[in-house]
Amino acid sequence: MTMSAGWYLRRLSRMGPREIGGRAGDAVRRRRWRSALPDCPRVTGARFTAVLPAGAIDAVPPDAAKRLVAEADRLMDGHAEFFGVRRDDLADPDWSYDPKTGRRAPLVYAFDVPYRDEDAVGDVKQIWEPSRHQYLTVLSAAYAVTGDQRYAERVAAHLRSWWAVNEPLRGVHWTSGIELGIRLLSWVWIRRLLDAWPGVSALFEDNPVAHHQIWHHQRWLAAFPSRGSSANNHVVAEAAGQFAAACAFGWFPSSARWRAEALRSLERHLRGNTFGSGLNRELATEYHGLVLELGLAAVAEADAAGVPVPATVRLVLLRMTDALAAVVDNRLRPPRQGDADDGHGLVVDGPGTDRWGSLLATGDAVSGRLAWWPEVTGTDVRTPLLAALIRPYPAAGSAPAVSRPAGRPAHFADAGMTVLRGPEEIWVRCDGGPHGFLSIAAHAHADALSVEVRHDGVDVLADPGTFCYHGQPEWRRYFRSTLGHNTLELDGADQSVSGGPFLWTRHARSRVLLADTSGEGVARWCAEHDGYQRSVHRRRVELAPETSELTVVDEVRGPRGAAVRLAFHLGPAITADLVGNRARLTWTRDGEDRSARLDLPGQLTWRAHRGETDPPLGWYSAGFGRKEPATTLVGTGVADGEQGFTTVLGFHS
């Protein structure tokens, strides 16, 4: 996907003068760096002291270690999967190859690589992901757990291969700061986990090539931070990776300066990216997880190196963890909201490990769980390793007095998120929050007033997900669209106006009018948005615990006659039998048949769609790069301005 001149003008319009000036300076620096690549300062007497405390590896639960080793053995055989694409070539990877398209990114000056153009480069996410080297942290963890040197030797061979091919400023792996930041964090943990391996000093401390790579990564990050309207999760990853490397690999004349600058950036942007309630401002749940992982990893490096961090850093991470505990359903699944690209900050676990349970377990270990937190029964490798490094919170002088929620929060006013809970493990998320974060709202979807409903962790009314970023614009548009969410579309238009795959030029403004989640009788929520300019969409939601019924009433306040499409996306496990305006929903959970009825507004004409491609409709994306057919019920008609459209979802006992 190449960017047109119009896109650049739209993108420029979302920047302020300071950001424009900074980006102009970046452009000058890129031209200068093309012909002037400095040498890394000579390193002598390098030591790595940020090791795991004694007993940390012994604290890894046996079942988590078993999953880890099974994944490591699969990687040793060359097998991996990235974004739904299986690879069998990871024993000796081609670092520029995209197996999805068969293309290779050119090994030219980094800032000449058209990484958004799939025809020229391939799917850049497929190329970037292995080079985050998180599969190497898995192999390194397997070595730490087993002492089997095969894992360490494979890690060393792959690092040397990557360093040889991807020289500084050459190729696609030097084009995006988030990639450099996460890669540095991986290298720190690789060094830590391989500490007992006899060859580790020759790989890092005594290796001029490693010095060269580490120094140039940090120089790059210091020169090209994400700026202004792009200062979202990317800048947190850049700062976290820079800080981790400057703490653990503090071997260079610039290390102290880089460490201080990265810590200032991390503190500023952790606060800036997080609401006071603890939810991530991008309102994209997976980025809440990514930012929390990055923040925890950065604090681990600070405590391992004895570097003081501002109390606000720990406070933000504490609030993020409490917020996560508050919004998950009974199966520890958080909302599916906004963009999601399966991004992780630190990976040392095998498949089958619950990401969200792991984060809550780490929160319990370093800050203590609250009485209302859900129980975490699963195990993971990462929690005992992070907990061994992070100073328990609160500690003397580490934080001001902190007030944590006495009960489980259900309404997050600043984020506009409300969670209604009912009997039979009914979970409902109502969206009345801001469109997204910063002027471009890069990871937002046009989903104002959407609802997401689960029954015992099963998606009944589902958020369809994300599927892709680059290369497939029609699918990117669909998964971000208003029609692609459980809300109402007027006159075939999205509530917010898209200017590109990560750019919104006009944002719908929502406001919550009522959020009664007291638990006394019927729970109620009401909100409205102005995204349709001439009309206001208002939605009321009620959850009645006695009848296990969810009622949704949509009103269009404005001129009559506007074309209406009201969509309800069912989860992939749900089978729907639609007759007229009533659908019978059935599914199986843990071997038990379950059902519900969905009474749809009679003023609209209803049709079921499933797996359609021209245009896309009726799809569910469980993860980035993956999609599967799922039923979407769409009602069409006109806004009459007199009565609302009432939908009732009733769960059977």
Side-chain angles (χ1 to χ4, degrees), residues 363-392:
D364 185 6
V366 302
S367 61
R369 70 187 308 277
L370 296 172
W372 53 262
W373 275 29
E375 292 292 333
V376 177
T377 57
T379 62
D380 68 309
V381 175
R382 188 176 61 191
T383 288
L385 303 187
L386 285 174
L389 296 174
I390 297 176
R391 186 172 66 243

Side-chain angles (χ1 to χ4, degrees), residues 450-612:
S450 63
V451 294
E452 185 182 2
V453 182
R454 297 179 192 152
H455 185 279
D456 196 14
V458 174
D459 290 310
V460 179
L461 301 183
D463 183 299
T466 299
F467 178 55
C468 67
Y469 282 170
H470 303 285
Q472 296 172 283
E474 71 281 9
W475 290 100
R476 178 65 171 151
R477 284 191 295 270
Y478 169 68
F479 278 99
R480 297 169 86 213
S481 70
T482 297
L483 184 62
H485 294 84
N486 297 317
T487 188
L488 182 144
E489 177 201 81
L490 280 186
D491 287 331
D494 287 335
Q495 309 149 337
S496 295
V497 177
S498 173
F502 297 97
L503 171 63
W504 296 91
T505 56
R506 183 171 60 78
H507 303 181
R509 294 175 300 177
S510 302
R511 62 173 183 153
V512 176
L513 305 175
L514 171 69
D516 180 1
T517 60
S518 62
E520 301 294 329
V522 177
R524 293 180 171 87
W525 175 87
C526 180
E528 64 184 20
H529 76 82
D530 65 355
Y532 296 123
Q533 298 184 299
R534 297 176 62 220
S535 299
V536 171
H537 173 205
R538 177 176 290 184
R539 169 169 277 185
R540 301 196 310 272
V541 176
E542 295 183 354
L543 178 60
E546 290 186 0
T547 59
S548 297
E549 283 191 346
L550 180 75
T551 302
V552 179
V553 180
D554 291 291
E555 299 175 4
V556 178
R557 302 190 172 196
R560 298 185 181 188
V564 168
R565 284 200 292 183
L566 179 60
F568 291 107
H569 299 261
L570 308 181
I574 307 298
T575 298
D577 181 14
L578 176 66
V579 178
N581 67 318
R582 169 171 284 196
R584 183 172 183 269
L585 313 181
T586 55
W587 67 97
T588 302
R589 179 58 150 169
D590 297 332
E592 179 183 345
D593 292 336
R594 303 188 183 186
S595 64
R597 76 176 194 284
L598 186 61
D599 291 324
L600 300 158
Q603 311 99 300
L604 303 178
T605 301
W606 290 91
R607 181 183 168 194
H609 303 262
R610 185 177 179 86
E612 298 173 9

Side-chain angles (χ1 to χ4, degrees), residues 285 327-337 356 419-429 451-463 486 543 550 569 571 574 587 589 594 620 649 651:
T285 308
V327 300
V328 295
D329 65 21
N330 67 304
R331 301 281 180 145
L332 301 185
R333 294 182 61 219
R336 285 166 53 88
Q337 183 179 19
W356 309 104
V419 177
L420 311 180
R421 297 176 190 271
E424 302 181 80
E425 308 300 349
I426 299 171
W427 176 96
V428 181
R429 173 182 65 86
V451 294
E452 185 182 2
V453 182
R454 297 179 192 152
H455 185 279
D456 196 14
V458 174
D459 290 310
V460 179
L461 301 183
D463 183 299
N486 297 317
L543 178 60
L550 180 75
H569 299 261
I574 307 298
W587 67 97
R589 179 58 150 169
R594 303 188 183 186
Y620 179 94
L649 174 61
F651 293 96

Side-chain angles (χ1 to χ4, degrees), residues 59-247:
V60 173
D63 57 335
K66 183 178 179 180
R67 291 195 303 271
L68 165 67
V69 172
E71 174 64 4
D73 288 341
R74 194 168 73 99
L75 291 168
M76 290 293 289
D77 290 337
H79 305 307
E81 182 176 315
F82 300 109
F83 309 133
V85 176
R86 294 182 179 178
R87 296 188 64 162
D88 299 311
D89 61 341
L90 221 64
D92 183 20
D94 179 339
W95 302 109
S96 300
Y97 177 64
D98 165 29
K100 192 172 104 178
T101 64
R103 298 186 179 94
R104 286 178 173 81
L107 281 170
V108 298
Y109 181 58
F111 299 116
D112 290 342
V113 178
Y115 66 89
R116 294 188 181 96
D117 186 349
E118 189 168 291
D119 291 335
V121 172
D123 184 337
V124 73
K125 292 281 287 180
Q126 288 288 342
I127 300 172
W128 276 342
E129 193 68 15
S131 288
R132 290 187 171 189
H133 290 168
Q134 292 175 327
Y135 79 95
L136 295 182
T137 56
V138 170
L139 290 173
S140 300
Y143 166 76
V145 166
T146 66
D148 188 335
Q149 295 197 26
R150 293 181 308 120
Y151 301 128
E153 290 164 356
R154 175 64 59 81
V155 171
H158 281 204
L159 282 180
R160 289 191 170 105
S161 166
W162 195 94
W163 291 336
V165 172
N166 296 284
E167 296 176 359
L169 300 185
R170 188 166 183 254
V172 72
H173 298 302
W174 292 88
T175 60
S176 175
I178 188 174
E179 304 305 315
L180 277 75
I182 291 177
R183 193 155 52 239
L184 278 177
L185 188 59
S186 295
W187 292 353
V188 170
W189 274 88
I190 288 167
R191 173 58 186 84
R192 174 175 291 127
L193 293 165
L194 296 185
D195 189 63
W197 180 51
V200 72
S201 294
L203 182 62
F204 282 98
E205 293 94 293
D206 302 330
N207 186 356
V209 175
H211 304 163
H212 186 66
Q213 286 279 349
I214 293 167
W215 185 81
H216 276 285
H217 271 67
Q218 293 188 84
R219 176 177 179 258
W220 195 108
L221 289 171
F224 300 112
S226 293
R227 301 179 184 277
S229 56
S230 294
N232 53 12
N233 64 86
H234 282 231
V235 76
V236 176
E238 294 158 11
Q242 176 84 302
F243 179 71
C247 286

Side-chain angles (χ1 to χ4, degrees), residues 10-66:
R10 292 191 295 273
R11 184 66 182 85
L12 188 66
S13 73
R14 309 305 292 177
M15 301 180 194
R18 184 174 181 179
E19 180 179 355
I20 292 171
R23 289 178 180 269
D26 291 346
V28 171
R29 193 172 296 111
R30 290 187 184 108
R31 287 197 297 270
R32 188 170 70 245
W33 281 25
R34 180 189 296 274
S35 58
L37 185 68
D39 292 328
C40 166
R42 186 168 179 267
V43 174
T44 58
R47 296 176 61 232
F48 183 86
T49 58
V51 297
L52 287 168
I57 296 298
D58 294 336
V60 173
D63 57 335
K66 183 178 179 180

